[in-house]
Amino acid sequence: MATVFFGTVVHTKSFSEFESFESGFLVVDDCGKIIGVGQDYQAWASNNPTQAKGLIEVKLSEYQFLMPGFVDCHIHAPQFAQLGLGLDMPLLDWLNTYTFPLEAKFSNQQYAQQVYQGVVETTLRCGTTLASYFATNHLESTLTLAREAVRQGQRALVGKVCSNCNSPDYYVETAEEAVNATVAFVDGVRKLGSPLVMPTITPRFALSCSKELLMGLGDVAKRFDLHIQSHISENLAEIEIVKGIFKTSYAKAYDDAGLLTNKTVMAHGVHLEDDEVSLLKIRGCSVAHCPASNTMISSGLCDVQRLVSAGLHVGLGTDVSGGNSVSIQDALLRALDVSKHLDFFKKQNIRGTGVAKTQDQNYIPLKYKQALYLATLGGAKALSLDQLTGNFVLEKEFDALLVDVSIVEKPLRRLSVDELVERFIYTGSDRNIVEVFVAGKRIKRG
Ligand code: GUN
Ligand code: FE
């Protein structure tokens, strides 16, 4: 049913443009599209008399506001099974010790169903209305993940992970198998017929893919005009090995296979060289900043301001389970933390790996409204889905959160609109997210 919300409405229009309507309104039509938003409902209703008829009215309290849903640009769905465990090693040891053995278990459909149901439920509860998921090498269980997102009504990109080398023999495929299964997966997702869930081409990372496999996946992406996701320049040891194998930069290894497009999102980019950042910019690629994971598995401090200033689209990723939290609200806070730490290093002129590329006495740390952008519209842009979602622009789909900052601790005084948002960002949790909507459909009910 078409609905009008009355109350505080906030969203972002760009990295540095935050917009709010105090005592505002937002109208959603029967199809889940936003058809009215702003300050003056009476003016809207008199200009749109037909649409204003018979609307269900929802009045928000003084401690509530509507905001766009969170976008998780990088999450490994199977790794939900080891969330918060095994965070005592850097990337390559972590993969071999914990993660590859875990992912190999997804040949079992029952296990996959159980974990995937849990990860979709939990991310939705935490306000993720759009997620870009890595699954595993297995075609069948990756289709299970896609079906689960459709069933629960989450907007998602889902990728069958591909890896054919430098992987354990119990969890590896040939290039031909990986490409064929990817094509079958794309077909399988299309047959689900959901407007919410789309396939995305997913080479695990250059280290576990031969040139032949990368090229094969680049061809499939081009043939079907698909989204692409992978990892780039996350960890120093990994980068050295990739450069040794491909005899070129990390970014160039992907570019040579046609995998850098305006529908590509690369996770991390902690240690990208300037020429790699330029190449990503030229190709229109995006970066998923994953601060929790970068800290947990000791990858380094990613200078997100540098990537944004270079003109890249940047969103946030939880990178479950390298990251220990499923929540993009947590990622947002961790992005603010990392930026404050970098600020300290830069102002103290402390040099070192992961900090060396960022020397800047004039560095300005990320602000909470900018981080909110990264968590919503920035993420939608990074996934090339901002024509559909990410903020409250007319004709976009209503992917939204109803937040109530009085749920855990009732504020001692009335808060301004900015303060409501600030309080939620710095102290809130999924308990404050009382309702979650995807394409106008209420998924979580307070
Ligand atoms: N690089 C290759 N695979 C992975 C993974 O599963 N997690 C992270 N954080 N980095 C990776
Ligand atoms: Fe990852």
Side-chain angles (χ1 to χ4, degrees):
M1 279 293 279
T3 305
V4 55
F5 295 88
F6 292 111
T8 299
V9 178
V10 310
H11 71 162
T12 61
K13 293 163 80 172
S14 68
F15 183 60
S16 37
E17 273 179 286
F18 170 85
E19 185 174 49
S20 62
F21 303 106
E22 188 175 4
S23 308
F25 75 98
L26 188 147
V27 189
V28 185
D29 73 6
D30 290 335
C31 307
K33 279 200 186 347
I34 299 164
I35 56 169
V37 60
Q39 201 64 69
D40 188 346
Y41 176 69
Q42 291 313 327
W44 179 85
S46 55
N47 288 331
N48 300 274
T50 323
Q51 286 149 313
K53 262 199 209 109
L55 293 174
I56 295 173
E57 296 191 0
V58 177
K59 292 198 170 66
L60 308 191
S61 82
E62 64 179 299
Y63 294 116
Q64 294 182 331
F65 63 91
L66 275 183
M67 62 168 279
F70 287 129
V71 179
D72 189 341
C73 294
H74 185 82
I75 171 165
H76 297 263
Q79 296 174 24
F80 180 64
Q82 63 179 12
L83 186 73
L85 305 177
L87 293 167
D88 53 354
M89 292 176 192
L91 178 67
L92 299 178
D93 291 337
W94 173 83
L95 284 170
N96 284 313
T97 309
Y98 303 115
T99 303
F100 291 148
L102 171 74
E103 290 193 16
K105 292 206 234 167
F106 284 72
S107 56
N108 178 327
Q109 288 314 296
Q110 261 180 324
Y111 184 63
Q113 173 59 41
Q114 188 193 348
V115 176
Y116 289 158
Q117 183 176 328
V119 73
V120 175
E121 275 170 10
T122 308
T123 52
L124 275 169
R125 194 189 72 231
C126 293
T128 299
T129 52
L130 166 59
S132 194
Y133 286 114
F134 281 58
T136 61
N137 287 10
H138 313 94
L139 168 62
E140 275 313 313
S141 58
T142 307
L143 279 167
T144 297
L145 173 59
R147 274 193 293 269
E148 199 48 39
V150 173
R151 190 181 72 78
Q152 295 193 42
Q154 187 173 51
R155 199 181 294 283
L157 290 164
V158 178
K160 189 213 92 73
V161 172
C162 297
S163 49
N164 74 329
C165 58
N166 299 317
S167 305
D169 53 12
Y170 60 82
Y171 188 48
V172 68
E173 53 197 342
T174 65
E176 197 187 352
E177 283 165 349
V179 170
N180 289 342
T182 295
V183 172
F185 175 69
V186 170
D187 190 45
V189 174
R190 298 217 159 145
K191 287 201 175 112
L192 296 179
S194 167
L196 294 180
V197 177
M198 286 183 278
T200 175
I201 294 297
T202 308
R204 182 171 203 113
F205 61 159
L207 182 49
S208 69
C209 299
S210 66
K211 276 188 195 185
E212 179 199 4
L213 174 54
L214 292 180
M215 303 269 289
L217 294 175
D219 287 347
V220 176
K222 191 164 178 200
R223 184 147 40 108
F224 299 104
D225 187 24
L226 296 170
H227 289 79
I228 299 169
Q229 61 179 354
S230 193
H231 297 87
I232 197 165
S233 300
E234 173 179 5
N235 163 288
L236 292 169
E238 165 215 17
I239 294 167
E240 283 317 305
I241 304 175
V242 168
K243 286 205 275 198
I245 295 173
F246 288 86
K247 311 276 180 257
T248 182
S249 74
Y250 210 139
K252 192 85 181 16
Y254 289 129
D255 194 44
D256 288 345
L259 286 165
L260 298 187
T261 75
N262 60 8
K263 286 174 128 182
T264 300
V265 60
M266 287 286 166
H268 305 293
V270 180
H271 306 285
L272 286 169
E273 301 290 340
D274 287 343
D275 60 332
E276 295 181 289
V277 173
S278 304
L279 179 58
L280 294 181
K281 162 72 183 151
I282 290 166
R283 297 284 183 258
C285 302
S286 310
V287 172
H289 175 42
C290 305
S293 164
N294 294 161
T295 302
M296 288 293 124
I297 54 175
S298 308
S299 300
L301 298 164
C302 180
D303 185 351
V304 78
Q305 300 284 50
R306 168 181 179 241
L307 302 176
V308 172
S309 303
L312 301 186
H313 293 308
V314 180
L316 297 179
T318 57
D319 195 22
V320 164
S321 66
N324 64 309
S325 168
V326 289
S327 159
I328 281 293
Q329 188 197 351
D330 181 72
L332 188 164
L333 207 47
R334 310 277 277 269
L336 289 165
D337 281 352
V338 165
S339 185
K340 287 269 169 79
H341 297 321
L342 279 172
D343 185 48
F344 174 79
F345 287 134
K346 284 157 187 269
K347 302 275 160 63
Q348 298 299 316
N349 215 14
I350 296 173
R351 287 172 184 273
T353 310
V355 181
K357 292 185 190 63
T358 61
Q359 292 303 309
D360 180 0
Q361 286 296 326
N362 302 317
Y363 180 83
I364 301 171
L366 199 63
K367 298 183 167 60
Y368 76 87
K369 289 178 183 173
Q370 295 172 329
L372 186 70
Y373 164 83
L374 298 180
T376 56
L377 183 59
K381 278 188 196 282
L383 299 180
S384 306
L385 290 173
D386 55 306
Q387 73 284 7
L388 279 181
T389 187
N391 63 359
F392 296 146
V393 164
L394 293 185
E395 294 302 314
K396 285 200 188 184
E397 312 239 326
F398 185 60
D399 292 356
L401 312 181
L402 200 166
V403 175
D404 188 333
V405 300
S406 72
I407 293 288
V408 183
E409 286 281 337
K410 192 163 176 176
L412 296 173
R413 61 171 173 82
R414 200 186 165 112
L415 300 178
S416 70
V417 173
D418 280 10
E419 285 175 333
L420 284 176
V421 176
E422 200 178 1
R423 177 66 71 98
F424 171 58
I425 286 179
Y426 285 104
T427 71
S429 74
D430 59 307
R431 284 194 283 170
N432 299 103
I433 301 172
V434 289
E435 296 189 358
V436 175
F437 300 85
V438 178
K441 186 167 172 226
R442 190 192 281 121
I443 309 285
K444 172 176 171 178
R445 198 179 283 273

